[in-house]
Amino acid sequence: MFDYETLKFIWWCLIGFLFIGFAITDGMDMGVGGLLPFVAKKDVESRVVINTVGAHWDGNQVWFITAGASLFAAWPLVYATAFSGFYFAMMLTLFSLFLRPLAFDYRSKIDSLKWRTNWDKALFVGSMVPPLVFGVAFGNLLQGVPFGFDSLMRVTYTGSFFALFTPFTLLTGVVSVAMMLLHGSTWLVMRTDADVAQRSANIGRVVAVVLSLSFALGGVMIWQNIDGYLVVSTIDTMGQAQPTIKEVTTGSGAWLNNYKETPLLWLVPAVGVVAPLFVALLLSIKSKSTSVKVFAFIGSSLTIISIILTAGVAMFPFVMPSSSVPNHSLLMWDTVSSEGTLGLMFMVVAFFIPIIIGYTLWCYKKMWRTVTIAEIEQNNHTAY
């Protein structure tokens, strides 16, 4: 079918595709949860906001689960090392994610304003902590993670939870949260009307500018302040996993080497800076047609794709660089599963990914409508 080198590259693309799919689908409902306290001023407006994602949020989780499972199966050493290094951050993410299904399911079970308000706060926390942690984790990957292997390939992590937070990683956390909020705001502009839609547009414009500026600032910091990584020895792209047999050096601006070698790639980060501003322009139109709303949502989706791709292109072929022992950095060439495993997994995803995409599109089409206050009041006992 494919040779080992091609399979390694295919799985780098597939894992990136799955995480982008997760960011677009689940990122949208996380953004809605993060905007809930700011765009809904009354309980019925909160129900309008929640019901725009009520039929989709759990289906969106499939992308997260599939991406995590693929990471475990295709890059087991990356999975094990990441969970060792980011253990407390991962546990914080999981506990915050627990709040989301509880908030969705229990919020409307008791007719008490205090009860509902408390679950709204839980939904806000469960929606904003994961993207913040993911953004901080991505910033740490770009800075390098302090780990190394012994002769038996047992990993040793020398960092700490608080060491994860630096000015650069906090900035990447802001970029991640802003991406989700912008995506959530464009979704609410499409799916709601009246005051909720207008407040969502107002917040979306501000978030879009913040996102564009913070993403550009992150690029300047990578250029001037963050040492990148570069493999200076020959890479055996057809070989089995041997992540400690190579020579890696670090240097200022090294993360930009791929862009310098292929200038056309500069279009990827350029879209990440310009697309949010385009979305802000669309959201500022007073009387928005359906096409304007749809283009704003497409624009926020393009923003997510370009920002994630910008990091992926910059780091290629690194997956998890080591700041303490750079030669032990994990590459997509030397940390993967066997050729047989990658080939079998490829046949599985070639069958199931079209199914996931198909039922996701079908679900959104069947549930598509503008959620209004009148609808919620007419379905008081069945709506979220």
Side-chain angles (χ1 to χ4, degrees):
M1 183 172 53
F2 297 109
D3 60 32
Y4 199 16
E5 180 183 16
T6 305
L7 280 171
K8 291 177 181 179
F9 182 71
I10 286 174
W11 272 101
W12 181 82
C13 296
L14 281 174
I15 289 176
F17 172 77
L18 290 169
F19 275 107
I20 287 174
F22 160 67
I24 290 177
T25 55
D26 218 13
M28 172 265 294
D29 60 59
M30 285 183 180
V32 168
L35 290 169
L36 180 61
F38 309 106
V39 299
K41 301 301 181 184
K42 299 180 290 187
D43 180 64
V44 68
E45 290 180 342
S46 296
R47 298 186 71 183
V48 167
V49 171
I50 291 172
N51 276 275
T52 62
V53 294
H56 307 294
W57 73 269
D58 47 356
N60 295 340
Q61 300 278 305
V62 172
W63 289 91
F64 184 45
I65 295 169
T66 307
S70 298
L71 185 67
F72 170 74
W75 296 339
L77 202 54
V78 174
Y79 187 91
T81 307
F83 269 78
S84 297
F86 300 142
Y87 182 78
F88 288 107
M90 294 292 186
M91 292 305 295
L92 177 63
T93 303
L94 289 176
F95 280 114
S96 61
L97 285 174
F98 290 160
L99 294 174
R100 283 159 45 83
L102 294 174
F104 278 116
D105 288 340
Y106 290 147
R107 184 186 185 281
S108 296
K109 299 301 182 186
I110 297 178
D111 189 15
S112 162
L113 184 59
K114 183 178 180 182
W115 170 267
R116 292 178 171 180
T117 301
N118 286 335
W119 280 118
D120 287 348
K121 294 175 181 175
L123 183 59
F124 173 78
V125 173
S127 299
M128 287 292 93
V129 170
L132 177 63
V133 172
F134 295 149
V136 169
F138 230 109
N140 275 275
L141 288 180
L142 287 163
Q143 285 188 160
V145 183
F147 71 89
F149 298 100
D150 62 15
S151 59
L152 298 176
M153 289 304 296
R154 292 174 298 194
V155 65
T156 300
Y157 177 75
T158 56
S160 66
F161 175 76
F162 293 105
L164 297 175
F165 302 98
T166 67
F168 177 70
T169 61
L170 290 174
L171 178 65
T172 55
V174 169
V175 170
S176 178
V177 170
M179 278 198 312
M180 302 302 105
L181 290 177
L182 177 62
H183 205 41
S185 69
T186 58
W187 174 258
L188 288 175
V189 168
M190 274 200 311
R191 296 294 308 276
T192 62
D193 62 358
D195 292 340
V196 174
Q198 187 57 51
R199 292 183 198 121
S200 301
N202 294 342
I203 294 175
R205 287 200 303 270
V206 176
V207 171
V209 174
V210 171
L211 175 56
S212 180
L213 293 176
S214 57
F215 179 59
L217 178 60
V220 172
M221 292 183 73
I222 286 176
W223 174 34
Q224 293 290 332
N225 302 98
I226 306 295
D227 281 349
Y229 291 72
L230 184 65
V231 181
V232 293
S233 59
T234 303
I235 304 174
D236 182 8
T237 56
M238 293 291 287
Q240 298 294 326
Q242 292 181 311
T244 60
I245 306 177
K246 62 179 172 292
E247 188 176 349
V248 175
T249 186
T250 61
S252 177
W255 282 142
L256 302 181
N257 283 353
N258 288 333
Y259 293 101
K260 294 174 183 174
E261 291 175 1
T262 311
L264 192 62
L265 290 173
W266 284 110
L267 288 174
V268 178
V271 172
V273 174
V274 173
L277 299 178
F278 177 66
V279 174
L281 181 64
L282 293 175
L283 294 179
S284 66
I285 297 174
K286 195 165 184 179
S287 180
K288 301 177 187 61
S289 63
T290 300
S291 59
V292 167
K293 297 176 184 177
V294 171
F295 275 120
F297 185 74
I298 293 173
S300 66
S301 301
L302 279 178
T303 300
I304 291 174
I305 293 170
S306 61
I307 289 176
I308 294 177
L309 277 182
T310 296
V313 170
M315 292 182 65
F316 185 88
F318 287 88
V319 178
M320 194 170 180
S322 169
S323 59
S324 53
V325 191
N327 289 350
H328 290 187
S329 297
L330 303 179
L331 311 182
M332 49 82 69
W333 299 120
D334 62 11
T335 60
V336 294
S337 296
S338 68
E339 184 175 0
T341 300
L342 294 184
L344 179 62
M345 288 171 55
F346 177 75
M347 289 189 286
V348 172
V349 299
F351 178 75
F352 281 105
I353 284 185
I355 293 177
I356 294 174
I357 294 174
Y359 88 69
T360 300
L361 293 175
W362 177 83
C363 179
Y364 277 86
K365 182 181 178 183
K366 296 298 287 185
M367 303 292 179
W368 188 262
R369 69 189 186 284
T370 299
V371 182
T372 63
I373 290 177
E375 176 192 322
I376 298 300
E377 291 175 340
Q378 290 170 6
N379 300 278
N380 190 44
H381 296 292
T382 56
Y384 278 95

